[in-house]
Amino acid sequence: QVQLVESGGGLVQAGGSLRLSCAASGRTFSSDRMGWFRQAPGKGREFVAAIAWSGGMTLYGDTVKGRFTISRDNAKNTVYLQMNSLKPEDTAIYYCAADTKHRTNWVYTGAYDYWGQGTQVTVSS
């Protein structure tokens, strides 16, 4: 059974940092693109960041560019999201996802086959 399990969420003050992890099991994702999305209450799921299988290419949403960093450790089948300079508008449930079909679109939710259950991030002002 394929599973993506996020961890590392929590409550942090504005300006603070959090590091999210996404551990994969049931399948090796070392050759797949991995992504992070988020969903705030009453809003759609928003693209945050994605990383190619080798880690050599990354893409970020405009709202997080320069503050968040995505990385991966293929030996551990884990992807990370380092979030710095957090703002109240970053409050959301954060999901990791995997694209196993090597699609060309990196930001569309439909381009990902597997999803985690999400981890809550709350940034207080």
Side-chain angles (χ1 to χ4, degrees):
Q1 181 180 359
V2 176
Q3 278 192 312
L4 299 176
V5 179
E6 303 95 336
S7 61
L11 174 64
V12 64
Q13 288 189 331
S17 298
L18 282 175
R19 188 194 194 204
L20 305 184
S21 299
C22 172
S25 62
R27 185 183 188 282
T28 299
F29 289 93
S30 59
S31 61
D32 301 322
R33 181 175 68 248
M34 302 294 292
W36 285 95
F37 289 75
R38 66 186 183 186
Q39 188 164 14
K43 295 189 177 181
R45 198 162 291 192
E46 175 191 16
F47 172 76
V48 175
I51 186 167
W53 70 272
S54 66
M57 185 177 293
T58 57
L59 183 69
Y60 295 92
D62 289 340
T63 57
V64 306
K65 203 173 297 183
R67 300 186 297 124
F68 291 11
T69 303
I70 188 171
S71 62
R72 67 190 298 164
D73 184 337
N74 287 337
K76 295 181 178 180
N77 223 20
T78 300
V79 63
Y80 305 96
L81 185 68
Q82 177 67 42
M83 307 186 294
N84 298 329
S85 303
L86 283 162
K87 305 175 181 179
E89 51 264 44
D90 293 319
T91 295
I93 299 174
Y94 283 71
Y95 300 90
C96 73
D99 168 26
T100 63
K101 295 181 173 59
H102 306 278
R103 299 173 179 89
T104 56
N105 190 309
W106 284 41
V107 306
Y108 175 49
T109 55
Y112 294 82
D113 310 288
Y114 296 100
W115 293 84
Q117 293 299 305
T119 185
Q120 176 72 47
V121 171
T122 303
V123 184
S124 63
S125 57

